[in-house]
Amino acid sequence: MQFIPSETLEIDRKARANKSFFDLDLRDPDLRICDFENVVIEFSPERAMVEAARCIHCPDPAPCMLACPTHNDIPSAMWLIETGNFSEAANLYHQTSSLPEICGRVCPQEALCQGSCVLNKQNTPVLCGALEVFAVDHKRRHQGHFIPLAPSTGKRIAIIGAGPAGLSCAEQLVQHGHEVTIFESKPTPGGLLVYGIPNFKLPKNVWAEKWAEFERSGVKFVGDTYIGKNKTINDLFAEGFDAVFIGVGSEIDAKMEDAPGTDLPGVYEATDFLIRGNVDPNLLPPSMKQPLEVGKRVVVIGGGDTASDCLRTSLRLGADEVTCLYRRTEKEMPGGKKDRALAREEGAKYRFLTQPVRFMGGDDGKLAAVECIEMQLGEPDARGRRKPVPVADSNFQVPCDTAILALGYWPDPIIGKTTPDLETHDWGLITADKKTGATSLPGVFSGGDCVTGPDLVVTAMVAGRKAAATIDEYLRTK
Ligand SMILES: Cc1cc2nc3c(=O)[nH]c(=O)nc-3n(C[C@H](O)[C@H](O)[C@H](O)COP(=O)(O)OP(=O)(O)OC[C@H]3O[C@@H](n4cnc5c(N)ncnc54)[C@H](O)[C@@H]3O)c2cc1C
Ligand code: SF4
């Protein structure tokens, strides 16, 4: 249900639909590759009001609201922004989202809210994500945001993993009056918001301000604690926790096992590369503090958003030639178009239907080239994507001094292996009910990438919120 019903608004929809469209303002590509600062120039209040006034207020339920995984009341927020009620708009986003200033920046909006805007028929969709960022940032800067707290229930919940799923679960549970402690293997909280998504997409100060909200609400954080190694889920119950939420993500880099030479100096896994390339060394575990050595000719292997992030990070680290090698065509690429367009603007090149088969060392023992083979598309696989098939005798070499493997992610099986009777599947994904987050063990709940496999910030956030509602009900009836 929309907070402001569309039918109550006396507006000229046709005139609104015909208003001029101006896309997001971005920093000049030549300048932005010189630093890791935000690429998007954020809205001023005036620009935000003009943009929000392009919304034609579709009847409830508006397609943007349905397409948003957390069902933000976008049309009502647009009206509040248009009429200058920025804080009320922010409050509306906070009702349905635990991370609105983050999702507004990193959601693939072209496939979600913005992609379903009816104004797409004329290529002029309302820029919903940027407006969400504007409203929530504006409120924080001018009034601050405080997570509303309920009187204490005396119940204690342990959350494992401080990524979007665990954080959103925590944000909801403290609002029910429960005491929350987050156990995290890394030194600081954030999950892939800190140790994955680069600063030029999600500035770290945005995350720092968000985390301050959690600290003010009393959420406790215990870093450098690897559940499954330092302690187990049974230990947490023995310590007196009443329920446990597992939000450990799916962060083990996929390997390229059939291609020799991946152990050569100059070959990196995407996570290691992005973390060491983007994160302040003070926030890194000791094993990752050694600086990256990035050459002038970089190849990135893979077709997802991680590949785009690696291309764009390499350019910012001083590489001259940065090329993405992908074994299918652009049409089959899983990564978002928006990120790919930005990477191209910044100078990244793409080479399709190309499969690396061998990493070759030079006289100095370091990576000197990648041997590849040309591919062609064959029959569709189980997911309907056409399978790449090698073209016989088509091998060729791509000279390079750095190669980054961005091939996808697997779950870490350690939690499943150290928790008797916790059901897992497919190499360690946790079996949990998608609607409630309930696992095979009473009192243990889970959500986010460790349940679905690699997905999105917004979907992990929704899973954390759903599990929090179930945990609250479980604790009240226990
Ligand atoms: C490079 C990259 C770029 C991305 N860009 C985008 C984007 O632009 N937009 C978007 O929507 N999504 C993006 N994603 C995906 C998104 O980041 C994830 O879907 C999301 O972070 C999943 O949230 P999560 O809480 O399930 O897991 P995570 O964010 O992975 O958090 C899990 C946390 O658990 C901790 N942990 C793991 N095991 C243990 C353990 N045993 N004990 C204690 N702690 C543990 C980890 O250290 C981590 O902090 C990107 C992913 C990557 C890798
Ligand atoms: S959460 Fe994501 S999909 Fe939903 S309105 Fe915000 S940007 Fe769009």
Side-chain angles (χ1 to χ4, degrees), residues 106-108 160-166 183-186 190-192 196-197 201 225-227 247-251 274 305-306 309 339 409 412 414-415 447-450 455-458 460:
V106 304
C107 272
I160 310 173
F183 295 91
E184 165 60 55
S185 57
K186 300 248 172 33
L192 289 171
I197 302 179
K201 276 164 74 177
T225 305
Y226 207 122
I227 303 298
V248 292
S250 183
E251 297 188 1
L274 287 174
D305 285 333
T306 305
D309 290 347
D339 281 2
Y409 294 93
D412 180 349
I414 194 161
I415 296 270
D449 282 7
C450 63
D455 202 2
L456 296 173
V457 170
V458 65

Side-chain angles (χ1 to χ4, degrees), residues 136-177:
V136 176
D137 280 1
H138 190 277
K139 185 188 170 206
R140 176 172 303 103
R141 280 177 202 140
H142 291 87
Q143 297 175 7
H145 175 69
F146 298 88
I147 299 172
L149 303 177
S152 172
T153 60
K155 302 285 184 191
R156 296 170 65 217
I157 298 106
I159 291 186
I160 310 173
L167 291 163
S168 306
C169 188
E171 191 248 13
Q172 292 292 292
L173 287 170
V174 292
Q175 295 191 47
H176 289 297

Side-chain angles (χ1 to χ4, degrees), residues 14 100 245 266 300 354 361 432:
K14 206 166 165 196
F245 174 79
V300 176
T354 299

Side-chain angles (χ1 to χ4, degrees), residues 64 67-72 74 93 97 100 103-105 107-109 112-114 128-129 132 458 461:
C64 54
C68 166
T70 200
H71 305 307
N72 281 338
I74 300 166
Y93 287 117
S97 176
C103 291
R105 286 179 164 92
C107 272
Q109 283 109 11
L112 300 172
C113 51
Q114 195 178 305
C128 324
E132 181 173 353
V458 65
M461 190 251 312

Side-chain angles (χ1 to χ4, degrees), residues 17 20 62 69 90 137 145 184 227 244 277 281 296 301 305 314 318 339-340 359 366-367 386 399 409 436 445 460:
S20 305
D137 280 1
H145 175 69
E184 165 60 55
I227 303 298
V244 172
K296 291 292 171 198
I301 299 152
D305 285 333
S314 305
D339 281 2
R340 215 154 50 236
F359 295 82
K366 294 182 180 171
L367 178 72
R386 290 180 64 192
Y409 294 93
T436 64
F445 304 81

Side-chain angles (χ1 to χ4, degrees), residues 66-327:
L66 292 178
C68 166
T70 200
H71 305 307
N72 281 338
D73 182 353
I74 300 166
S76 303
M78 295 300 104
W79 183 257
L80 291 169
I81 295 172
E82 171 180 348
T83 52
N85 294 301
F86 306 142
S87 298
E88 284 179 51
N91 292 342
L92 206 55
Y93 287 117
H94 281 296
Q95 278 180 26
T96 41
S97 176
S98 305
L99 304 168
E101 59 286 86
I102 291 166
C103 291
R105 286 179 164 92
V106 304
C107 272
Q109 283 109 11
E110 71 279 11
L112 300 172
C113 51
Q114 195 178 305
S116 69
C117 177
V118 295
L119 296 181
N120 272 301
K121 283 185 197 143
Q122 53 200 48
N123 286 326
T124 60
V126 176
L127 301 172
C128 324
L131 287 163
E132 181 173 353
V133 167
F134 165 77
V136 176
D137 280 1
H138 190 277
K139 185 188 170 206
R140 176 172 303 103
R141 280 177 202 140
H142 291 87
Q143 297 175 7
H145 175 69
F146 298 88
I147 299 172
L149 303 177
S152 172
T153 60
K155 302 285 184 191
R156 296 170 65 217
I157 298 106
I159 291 186
I160 310 173
L167 291 163
S168 306
C169 188
E171 191 248 13
Q172 292 292 292
L173 287 170
V174 292
Q175 295 191 47
H176 289 297
H178 306 309
E179 189 185 295
V180 175
T181 305
I182 307 184
F183 295 91
E184 165 60 55
S185 57
K186 300 248 172 33
T188 55
L192 289 171
L193 304 180
V194 172
Y195 298 101
I197 302 179
N199 199 69
F200 49 83
K201 276 164 74 177
L202 176 62
K204 299 278 180 289
N205 66 311
V206 172
W207 165 244
E209 287 173 27
K210 187 75 200 167
W211 176 245
E213 279 174 22
F214 282 82
E215 285 188 311
R216 281 198 298 270
S217 76
V219 169
K220 291 186 190 137
F221 176 75
V222 183
D224 295 316
T225 305
Y226 207 122
I227 303 298
K229 283 186 189 162
N230 304 119
K231 55 173 82 182
T232 63
I233 288 184
N234 282 346
D235 293 336
L236 294 172
F237 282 116
E239 284 174 22
F241 286 100
D242 298 287
V244 172
F245 174 79
I246 310 168
V248 292
S250 183
E251 297 188 1
I252 307 285
D253 285 85
K255 313 279 178 235
M256 210 165 186
E257 270 148 11
D258 42 3
T262 51
D263 53 349
L264 282 170
V267 182
Y268 292 94
E269 289 183 341
T271 305
D272 182 41
F273 181 80
L274 287 174
I275 293 181
R276 286 165 61 198
N278 282 292
V279 181
D280 176 348
N282 292 321
L283 304 181
L284 294 181
S287 61
M288 288 187 151
K289 285 194 194 281
Q290 207 188 340
L292 281 175
E293 279 183 38
V294 181
K296 291 292 171 198
R297 288 186 296 190
V298 176
V299 296
V300 176
I301 299 152
D305 285 333
T306 305
S308 298
D309 290 347
C310 291
L311 293 164
R312 300 176 68 197
T313 298
S314 305
L315 288 161
R316 283 162 175 77
L317 290 173
D320 290 336
E321 256 177 58
V322 176
T323 310
C324 183
L325 307 179
Y326 181 58
R327 61 193 181 142

